[in-house]
Amino acid sequence: MNIAHWLYQSVLSWPNRPALHDGNDLFATYKGLGQRTVALARWLGEAQGIKRGDRIAVFVQNCPEYLEILHAVWWLGAVVVPVNYKLHPRESEWIIENSGARLVFTGNGTTFEGKLAACLELSVSGPDYRAAVAGQQGIAPPAATNPDDIAWLFYTSGTTGRPKGVMLTHDNLIHMGLCYGSDVDRVFPDQVSVYAAPMSHGAGLYALGLIRAAAAHLVPKSRGFDPDEIMDLAGRYGNLCMFAAPTMVKRLVQRAEQTGFRGEGISTIVYGGGPMYAADLDAALDLFGPRFVHIYGQGESPMTITAMSRELLADKTHPNWIARRNSVGVAQSCVEVRVVGPDMQELPAGNTGEIVVRGPTVMKGYWNNAEATAATVVDGWLMTGDLGHFDPDGFLTLTDRSKDVIISGGTNIYPREVEEVLLRHAEVFEVAVIGVPEPEWGEDVVAFVVLREGATCTQIELEKLCRSELASFKKPKRYHFVKELPKNSYGKILKTDLRKQATAESAAV
């Protein structure tokens, strides 16, 4: 089934419901969204010759047009190539060319200055686009597709080399949408989904389940995340739900503490995409109450490995509630999740190994990269590259990315354990711990620390804290106090950049 059928059915069933808001303004009802989508699909097919299987890139900041572009492409049975709008045009150009995209939507229509010889560039705010979405009256059904037809060709962040194109099928997206309603958040028509995180990633995919329920969607006027704007929208609309990176949650909580906001008008914040440290989660729950859901996934199995429901996060009655709260929850309903050793044999509860996942949400493979596909999907199991362990009740705790583990003197050191300790200092706002090469021991532990605004803290204080909490070999050998940590547009800390910085500084000494 074509995933665009979910929008088609909502248009037929609930044409007058509000579908899209542009900040405080109504952009389209479901009927209007359907008409604009079908008009754009017709223009793509008739004027541009786009057909089933063709790739269409989307390189724009969050905007109301994003959802209609996605569905117009799917309406034809074509493939969306979402591109992180914060990438440099040269990086984006590589993705567009690698995917073989026939057309790319951009903000101004001149981003690539004619360098994409085989790809038309179209501005979402220009007259051609406005003409393309206008004048449609009837709503023709989407094209028929096979379950394994590619719908979403998502390029990984490429922190260890060139990005790889993750092929997600219509069947993958359907099962992801079903997991959302089953495992993440109950979906109701009166909800308003706010897109403060990039729609080129998980936030955009989470729209699908809400479209099926004919709920409303809202793109902030800022086109991104602004805590004051989110609080204003919560008061204006009520029943807001949103996806947020942990760093966004931290910023919202910090601002709410200053303003007295206590989450009124926000129904659900789903967080994921990076570690949520215990101190930050406790602060969020203490301030906002049970409004949070934790999900764990990857681009290769989007948003769909484990989930920790709002009820479980807020439950303090279980004797093991602290460990449960610090976990990423239990396997979602459409997948199997295991922790395995190097021989792919499942490990008993309590033993750390690589996390693997199997099910209908796992990608079809990497675009034009059979070698990488074979190394990542082994006997149907997605090798996540993440390390963790289960408890006897099936709750999964992440230890670290396998590539982030520090090996010093032949002993594994998990950065998150050190980070959790450093974050207990009242003056520390953010921290990232990495390993840098050291000739005698293999690697040294190095900490990058961001202090709270106006705070003062010395290395001596942090060393004292670590001595009280950690074995000697786990303590950082060096501290770097910085104004901010490098992050990608999804809020993930770029430890690769920190390693380069620390290694260069070591070499200069």
Side-chain angles (χ1 to χ4, degrees):
M1 184 182 75
N2 189 329
I3 188 64
H5 268 284
W6 285 8
L7 174 59
Y8 178 60
Q9 189 60 61
S10 289
V11 170
L12 297 180
S13 300
W14 305 102
N16 297 321
R17 278 187 184 168
L20 269 173
H21 296 279
D22 185 359
N24 296 329
D25 304 318
L26 179 65
F27 185 85
T29 63
Y30 267 92
K31 180 180 179 181
L33 176 59
Q35 289 173 334
R36 290 172 62 93
T37 297
V38 172
L40 181 57
R42 175 176 290 179
W43 180 84
L44 288 170
E46 295 179 357
Q48 302 302 322
I50 303 300
K51 59 186 183 301
R52 178 175 167 179
D54 286 344
R55 275 78 62 205
I56 305 296
V58 187
F59 184 44
V60 296
Q61 192 175 12
N62 285 5
C63 60
E65 292 85 357
Y66 212 108
L67 287 180
E68 67 192 20
I69 291 171
L70 300 186
H71 285 85
V73 175
W74 292 331
W75 221 270
L76 296 171
V79 181
V80 173
V81 184
V83 185
N84 177 358
Y85 78 94
K86 289 189 176 179
L87 291 180
H88 189 280
R90 183 174 295 177
E91 297 173 295
S92 310
E93 184 179 337
W94 185 90
I95 291 172
I96 292 164
E97 290 180 340
N98 183 265
S99 70
R102 294 272 309 278
L103 183 146
V104 55
F105 290 100
T106 64
N108 56 20
T110 59
T111 301
F112 299 99
E113 301 177 335
K115 295 177 182 178
L116 300 171
C119 183
L120 173 70
E121 181 177 350
L122 182 71
S123 168
V124 297
S125 58
D128 289 341
Y129 186 89
R130 290 194 294 271
V133 298
Q136 183 70 33
Q137 297 301 317
I139 307 292
T145 58
N146 295 322
D148 64 347
D149 284 353
I150 306 169
W152 183 265
L153 183 56
F154 169 75
Y155 279 75
T156 61
S157 56
T159 56
T160 58
R162 285 289 196 184
K164 297 187 289 291
V166 176
M167 297 185 290
L168 296 178
T169 67
H170 287 269
D171 199 45
N172 289 150
L173 298 189
I174 288 168
H175 281 89
M176 185 217 67
L178 295 175
C179 278
Y180 180 87
S182 174
D183 304 301
V184 179
D185 194 29
R186 290 179 289 275
V187 182
F188 298 99
D190 61 347
Q191 285 179 305
V192 180
S193 181
V194 178
Y195 299 97
M199 297 175 75
S200 58
H201 201 57
L205 287 180
Y206 265 171
L208 299 176
L210 290 132
I211 281 175
R212 177 63 179 170
H217 307 260
L218 187 153
V219 179
K221 286 290 188 182
S222 68
R223 302 307 191 228
F225 175 71
D226 179 88
D228 288 302
E229 186 177 24
I230 295 299
M231 292 186 290
D232 178 70
L233 291 170
R236 187 177 300 271
Y237 286 95
N239 210 8
L240 297 189
C241 59
M242 60 184 288
F243 176 80
T247 53
M248 294 164 62
V249 175
K250 189 180 181 80
R251 287 175 57 197
L252 181 62
V253 169
Q254 185 182 44
R255 184 59 179 150
E257 288 173 339
Q258 297 168 351
T259 63
F261 179 71
R262 293 297 179 266
E264 302 90 345
I266 296 177
S267 60
T268 306
I269 297 177
V270 181
Y271 66 89
M276 172 71 87
Y277 296 106
D280 295 334
L281 178 58
D282 288 342
L285 288 168
D286 288 346
L287 194 68
F288 289 168
R291 289 178 166 89
F292 296 91
V293 180
H294 189 182
I295 63 97
Y296 162 54
Q298 293 186 336
E300 292 85 347
S301 183
M303 327 288 276
T304 48
I305 298 178
T306 64
M308 187 74 169
S309 70
R310 70 177 72 234
E311 293 83 5
L312 285 169
L313 272 176
D315 180 20
K316 293 186 178 182
T317 64
H318 193 277
N320 201 30
W321 70 270
I322 294 177
R324 284 187 169 191
R325 178 180 286 186
N326 293 336
S327 78
V328 292
V330 300
Q332 293 195 30
S333 53
C334 290
V335 297
E336 299 173 75
V337 183
R338 293 180 180 176
V339 171
V340 300
D343 58 0
M344 283 295 289
Q345 294 301 304
E346 188 171 8
L347 298 175
N351 288 264
T352 297
E354 182 167 359
I355 299 163
V356 299
V357 58
R358 179 172 68 181
T361 61
V362 171
M363 68 172 181
K364 185 175 184 177
Y366 292 117
W367 178 256
N368 290 337
N369 198 335
E371 183 179 356
T373 299
T376 305
V377 182
V378 179
D379 295 329
W381 291 93
L382 172 67
M383 311 295 294
T384 67
D386 290 332
L387 301 179
H389 59 268
F390 278 109
D391 75 1
D393 297 327
F395 288 78
L396 178 68
T397 296
L398 294 184
T399 308
D400 257 304
R401 286 288 294 173
S402 58
K403 64 182 178 64
D404 288 338
V405 172
I406 301 166
I407 303 177
S408 182
T411 302
N412 287 358
I413 301 170
Y414 300 107
R416 179 164 182 173
E417 181 183 4
V418 184
E419 290 163 352
E420 290 275 13
V421 170
L422 291 171
L423 282 166
R424 291 175 196 159
H425 194 290
E427 305 298 337
V428 173
F429 179 68
E430 281 187 312
V431 64
V433 170
I434 61 168
V436 296
E438 199 281 328
E440 182 176 358
W441 297 99
E443 286 184 297
D444 274 343
V445 180
V446 175
F448 285 79
V449 180
V450 179
L451 298 180
R452 296 186 183 276
E453 187 175 351
T456 57
C457 175
T458 66
Q459 179 172 327
I460 294 174
E461 292 178 61
L462 297 181
E463 288 175 343
K464 181 179 179 181
L465 175 63
C466 287
R467 279 198 304 271
S468 69
E469 299 278 348
L470 294 170
S472 179
F473 71 91
K474 297 180 181 180
K475 295 182 301 183
K477 298 295 189 295
R478 297 201 307 275
Y479 292 86
H480 296 271
F481 291 90
V482 296
K483 291 184 178 179
E484 60 182 1
L485 299 174
K487 299 182 179 107
N488 65 16
S489 65
Y490 310 129
K492 289 185 179 180
I493 295 170
L494 298 175
K495 289 193 172 182
T496 302
D497 290 0
L498 294 178
R499 289 190 194 96
K500 290 178 181 177
Q501 178 180 335
T503 301
E505 290 177 0
S506 296
V509 173

